[in-house]
């Protein structure tokens, strides 16, 4: 690979799933990170303006998707439906000064797409850093860096991805994004779901304290609501900084639509009072594709596959659009072969891609945990907050039916496929559960480790959304000290679980191993929170097992 861009500053720099979220000042915050100069705050009275930053995503060997949102007049706020058609141009160059321009073009931003703009650029060189910006009415957007994927058949020595999930605006600041942006060494970053949350203000996780209010104040239901919520998120300076540093690869989970979403409804949706679920789902999806730098590969879904040379491919799953309704606890239906998490077509697509892959590593972007999770002998004091975090009844808790545990036939078929075709080096990358895990993925958890592991899994914790210590209101680390040994004793395939901290992961891949470095934040409620390395786990090529390693890459 060609050498990566590193900013001079980066050499000195080394946050329960069930009901929350409202109004606030827009993009007048000053960046606390190293990209402050690149993302200037703009007054909403300036027009046209690029108040929501710029982004890139879904890198290919010859191209990348570029995104922005223009505010043509002050009243054209997200979700308003107001504002004139506005010509927006883009420029791509090999240098930050834009003296070596390699691509340019223009399109019209309209109220019909909430004045968001996408440009799918092709004709670029593989494994190369580029700079891009947008312009409208004499105003330039901030300049941003992106990077193309390696050539499909390239022998790639190393890949490095940031990995994040579960960012509740009201629960804290997005310092995890700032620290990833400051690294300057990422080929891309993966968002594994819950990029936004749908709840009304104060309804989810924030308990007595809303760190910063959201917009709109009510639970989001309509297209205008979802656009407004996405717009609020995109004013965050740390999120803007990360989007301006490396391409994003994103999938959705439930909160981009509604809690515990399935193909025909959601736990956090009342059909009578809140209208047809289908209308809400389509509004949520439309806003998502307008506001995210994502290419839908199958209409209305986020499942797709990217390739990074001969080193890795990345299969990205949509585990909400096709799933059957979550099973009721204790009725045995989690094993019903008629129920599905993936849908038939997506599972066949995933199996075929894993079987035909000729890369060293097969990565799977996966929004909910695939490894089995038995509760074990947790006390009532720990069982109840865990149930609250997972959104389950506080008595009789056996498993989380919103995860792959609730759809065991799909999991059994997938793992049997890996074993029967001797498919090695499959690594699931997972979010959702607001805890950090390092797991083997056993074919039979009951007999493990005497039986085989079919794959490995790295689960990243939340950026800000509540984990167990937040729910119990005890000092950070208290719950992990009690719960982690009990969880591991009941789940012998689990090498590590941290139930208490917020942060992010950095996945580093070579031909010999895939390693996840876990980083934690000092305080999700502080805009200037520091980040520190917590632990690292790796899987060595050919082993299908996780092991601890004692240094980050």
């Amino acid at each position: 690979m060609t050498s990566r861009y590193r900013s001079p500053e980066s050499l000195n720099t080394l946050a329960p799933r069930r009901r929350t979220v409202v109004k606030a000042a827009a993009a007048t915050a000053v960046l606390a990170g190293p990209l402050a100069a690149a993302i200037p705050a703009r007054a909403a009275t300036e027009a046209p303006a690029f108040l929501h930053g710029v982004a890139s995503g879904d890198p290919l060997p010859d191209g990348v998707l570029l995104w922005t949102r223009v505010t043509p007049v002050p009243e054209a706020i997200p979700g308003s439906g107001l504002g004139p058609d506005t010509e927006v141009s883009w420029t791509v160059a090999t240098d930050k000064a834009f003296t070596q321009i390699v691509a340019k073009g223009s399109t019209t931003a309209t109220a019909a797409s909430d004045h968001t703009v996408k440009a799918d650029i092709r004709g670029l060189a593989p494994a190369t850093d580029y700079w891009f910006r947008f312009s409208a009415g004499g105003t330039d957007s901030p300049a941003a860096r992106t990077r193309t994927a390696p050539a499909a058949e390239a022998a790639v020595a190393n890949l490095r991805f940031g990995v994040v999930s579960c960012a509740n605006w009201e629960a804290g600041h997005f310092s995890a994004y700032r620290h990833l942006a400051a690294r300057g060494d990422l080929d891309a970053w993966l968002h594994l779901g819950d990029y936004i949350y749908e709840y009304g203000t104060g309804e989810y996780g924030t308990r007595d304290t809303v760190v910063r209010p959201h917009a709109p104040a009510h639970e989001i239901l309509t297209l205008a609501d979802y656009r407004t919520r996405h717009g609020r998120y995109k004013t965050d300076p740390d999120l803007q900084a990360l989007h301006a540093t490396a391409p994003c690869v994103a999938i959705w989970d439930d909160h981009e639509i509604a809690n515990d979403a399935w193909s025909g409804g959601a736990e956090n949706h009342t059909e009578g009072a809140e209208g047809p679920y289908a209308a809400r789902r389509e509004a949520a999806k439309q806003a998502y594709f307008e506001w995210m730098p994502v290419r839908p590969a199958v209409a209305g879904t986020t499942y797709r596959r990217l390739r990074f040379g001969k080193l890795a491919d990345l299969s990205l799953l949509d585990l909400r659009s096709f799933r059957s309704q979550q099973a009721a606890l204790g009725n045995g239906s989690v094993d019903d072969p008629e129920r599905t998490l993936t849908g038939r077509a997506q599972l066949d697509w995933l199996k075929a891609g894993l079987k035909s892959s000729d890369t060293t590593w097969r990565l799977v972007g996966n929004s909910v945990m695939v490894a089995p999770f038995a509760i074990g002998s947790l006390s009532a004091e720990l069982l109840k907050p865990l149930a609250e975090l997972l959104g389950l009844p506080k008595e009789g808790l056996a498993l989380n039916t919103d995860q792959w545990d609730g759809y065991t036939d799909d999991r059994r078929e997938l793992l049997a496929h890996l074993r029967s075709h001797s498919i090695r080096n499959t690594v699931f990358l997972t979010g959702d559960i607001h805890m950090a895990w390092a797991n083997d993925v056993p074919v039979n958890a009951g007999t493990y480790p005497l039986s085989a592991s079919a794959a490995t899994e790295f689960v990243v914790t939340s950026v800000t959304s509540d984990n167990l210590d937040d729910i119990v209101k005890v000092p950070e680390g208290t719950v992990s000290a009690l719960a982690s040994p009990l969880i591991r004793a009941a789940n012998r395939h689990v090498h590590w679980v941290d139930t208490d901290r917020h942060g992010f992961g950095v996945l580093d891949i070579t031909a010999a191993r895939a390693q996840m470095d876990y980083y934690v934040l000092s305080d999700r409620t502080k805009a200037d929170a520091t980040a520190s390395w917590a632990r690292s786990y790796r899987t060595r090529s050919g082993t299908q097992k996780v092991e601890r390693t004692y240094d980050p890459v």
Side-chain angles (χ1 to χ4, degrees), residues 142-369:
R145 169 192 174 267
T146 190
R147 183 172 177 82
T148 51
E153 300 304 314
V156 179
N158 170 260
L159 291 166
R160 190 167 295 165
F161 301 117
V163 190
V164 290
S165 75
C166 303
N168 176 8
W169 176 281
E170 291 198 332
H173 295 276
F174 295 161
S175 300
Y177 297 152
R178 183 178 76 255
H179 289 288
L180 278 172
R183 296 180 62 97
D185 64 352
L186 301 179
D187 291 287
W189 58 282
L190 314 183
H191 202 295
L192 297 171
D194 298 343
Y195 185 99
I196 67 166
Y197 280 77
E198 84 280 14
Y199 290 101
T201 192
E203 292 180 355
Y204 178 85
T206 50
R207 300 301 181 275
D208 305 321
T209 305
V210 171
V211 175
R212 50 182 183 167
H214 216 320
H218 55 266
E219 181 179 328
I220 54 177
L221 297 170
T222 67
L223 177 58
D225 290 343
Y226 282 96
R227 285 169 164 175
T228 302
R229 188 64 56 89
H230 274 280
R232 171 65 77 224
Y233 269 69
K234 284 292 200 302
T235 63
D236 182 86
D238 296 332
L239 180 55
Q240 287 192 14
L242 184 53
H243 274 302
T245 307
C248 174
V249 177
I251 56 175
W252 58 45
D253 194 24
D254 52 341
H255 291 292
E256 285 87 349
I257 305 169
N259 182 60
D260 284 0
W262 57 285
S263 59
E267 179 276 335
N268 189 23
H269 183 81
T270 305
E271 194 82 11
E274 296 178 329
Y277 177 73
R280 181 180 188 175
R281 179 188 62 214
E282 293 314 305
K285 289 185 175 183
Q286 179 177 333
Y288 184 89
F289 284 119
E290 288 171 346
W291 279 86
M292 296 293 290
V294 166
R295 277 190 208 94
V298 179
T301 81
T302 57
Y303 82 78
R304 61 203 190 280
R305 184 171 291 117
L306 299 173
R307 182 183 175 101
F308 296 86
K310 296 282 284 186
L311 186 56
D313 56 32
L314 172 60
S315 300
L316 298 151
L317 303 184
D318 178 348
L319 299 183
R320 295 294 166 182
S321 294
F322 312 104
R323 72 156 74 198
S324 307
Q325 186 172 11
Q326 294 84 350
L329 290 174
N331 65 6
S333 62
V334 296
D335 297 320
D336 184 350
E338 297 303 312
R339 298 179 63 261
T340 181
L341 178 65
T342 60
R344 184 73 258 164
Q346 184 175 200
L347 186 58
D348 288 345
W349 167 87
L350 176 60
K351 288 166 59 181
L354 293 170
K355 182 181 177 183
S356 64
S357 174
D358 63 350
T359 59
T360 302
W361 294 95
R362 279 150 287 282
L363 309 178
V364 182
N366 171 59
S367 58
V368 295
M369 199 159 80

Side-chain angles (χ1 to χ4, degrees), residues 11 51 89 118 131 137 168 184 200 202 204 216 245 275 279 297 306 330 342 349 387 411 431 509 520 524 549:
L11 301 178
L51 303 179
S89 61
K118 287 184 179 181
W131 289 86
N168 176 8
Y204 178 85
T245 307
L306 299 173
T342 60
W349 167 87
R411 182 171 62 195
I509 307 170
V520 297
R524 64 174 175 165
T549 183

Side-chain angles (χ1 to χ4, degrees), residues 9-39:
E9 297 92 338
S10 72
L11 301 178
N12 300 318
T13 312
L14 284 188
R17 310 176 59 251
R18 301 259 100 185
R19 294 198 171 246
T20 183
V21 211
V22 93
K23 272 179 181 174
T28 55
V30 176
L31 253 182
L35 294 177
I39 314 286

Side-chain angles (χ1 to χ4, degrees), residues 38 96 127 174 206 248 305 325 378 398 420 427-428 434 438 482 497 512:
K96 190 175 181 180
F174 295 161
T206 50
C248 174
R305 184 171 291 117
Q325 186 172 11
L378 294 179
S420 63
V427 180
F428 292 90
H434 307 180
L482 297 172
V497 56

